[in-house]
Amino acid sequence: MRFATTVLALTALVHSALAHYTFQYIWTPNDNGQYVGIRHPPTNNPVTDVTSTDIRCNVNGLSGSGISVLNVAAGTNITMEWHQHDQRTGEDAISGGHKGPILVYAAKVPSGQTAATWDGSGAVWFKLYESGLISASSQTWASDIVNANGGKHSLVIPKCIPTGQYLLRVESIALHVAQSYPGAQFYLGCAQLNISGGGSGSPSPLVAFPGAYKGSDPGITVNIYNNLQSYTIPGPAV
């Protein structure tokens, strides 16, 4: 069993550089087009340092100048879409070996700034969505479900969320080489939203990026090749 586990881990390492991916589309609820409204990084390489400001909105993600702010009503079902390359078909959206959780956070833009100018700093992020190990018996992960759906996963913008502009932080954590830190691969991007028709809710708990994750977190440093029976998703509760 140890030999088989080692072979699986080494295979994942060999393929890890060949199957990177990015958050490319957001539907609000219609398809806005590739990278429209999204702070996208210069490459599809992952972030691996949870103490870097890149863990917030990816490389070059501290500003969204020149990027659209998308209008969406509270209560709308929105869809996020991932791909390895520019094409939407012909390959897994997320490489099948890059198993791990899918998470979505949001942060309200403070007064005097816009979603295009704000850097997302401070303890301002709350978690809207998380999905991790779906089935221990089949070792099915949230990333597998995204692949089965053509790279897509969806959530409903809560009706109670206050009206205003937001950054939406969309994240896929690949755990195929996460036996030690740094090893987990963080694929992420931030969409710029203007939410209308909201309520008077006070989302919590609030966390900062960097700060929300530690390299020693059990959901970040973990061996997924040893008949894993449970998984602790990083970050605060939804």
Side-chain angles (χ1 to χ4, degrees):
M1 178 62 73
R2 180 175 296 176
F3 174 76
T5 299
T6 301
V7 170
L8 284 170
L10 287 174
T11 300
L13 182 60
V14 168
H15 290 285
S16 65
L18 306 177
H20 297 165
Y21 50 99
T22 53
F23 165 40
Q24 295 190 12
Y25 297 85
I26 184 166
W27 304 55
T28 58
N30 297 319
D31 183 358
N32 291 288
Q34 188 182 39
Y35 296 126
V36 175
I38 298 170
R39 299 182 182 184
H40 59 280
T43 73
N44 64 357
N45 292 330
V47 176
T48 58
D49 181 1
V50 298
T51 68
S52 167
T53 54
D54 292 341
I55 201 68
R56 189 179 304 154
C57 288
N58 214 322
V59 176
N60 296 342
L62 298 185
S63 172
S65 178
I67 297 171
S68 302
V69 177
L70 303 175
N71 293 317
V72 59
T76 299
N77 187 83
I78 66 170
T79 299
M80 287 66 64
E81 184 176 343
W82 301 82
H83 292 287
Q84 294 185 49
H85 303 103
D86 285 343
Q87 67 264 32
R88 285 173 129 169
T89 60
E91 63 183 358
D92 285 343
I94 296 175
S95 170
H98 284 48
K99 293 180 179 289
I102 303 292
L103 309 91
V104 181
Y105 295 80
K108 193 173 189 300
V109 177
S111 176
Q113 299 199 57
T114 71
T117 62
W118 186 44
D119 66 0
S121 59
V124 292
W125 296 91
F126 56 95
K127 188 183 283 182
L128 283 176
Y129 173 91
E130 66 177 20
S131 183
L133 181 61
I134 306 297
S135 169
S137 60
S138 64
Q139 290 295 291
T140 300
W141 288 83
S143 55
D144 297 313
I145 305 303
V146 170
N147 267 335
N149 290 331
K152 302 180 183 71
H153 58 100
S154 301
L155 63 84
V156 174
I157 299 291
K159 289 186 177 181
C160 63
I161 196 169
T163 295
Q165 295 202 353
Y166 286 80
L167 293 181
L168 189 77
R169 181 182 179 275
V170 183
E171 177 178 46
S172 169
I173 306 177
L175 301 172
H176 55 295
V177 287
Q179 296 92 331
S180 60
Y181 177 82
Q185 297 180 351
F186 299 83
Y187 296 90
L188 66 146
C190 288
Q192 303 178 165
L193 303 181
N194 181 49
I195 297 177
S196 61
S200 56
S202 298
S204 66
L206 301 177
V207 297
F209 287 101
Y213 298 162
K214 296 183 177 64
S216 58
D217 288 346
I220 291 175
T221 299
V222 58
N223 182 358
I224 66 171
Y225 301 108
N226 192 28
N227 194 29
L228 191 69
Q229 293 300 298
S230 63
Y231 174 73
T232 303
I233 296 175
V238 174

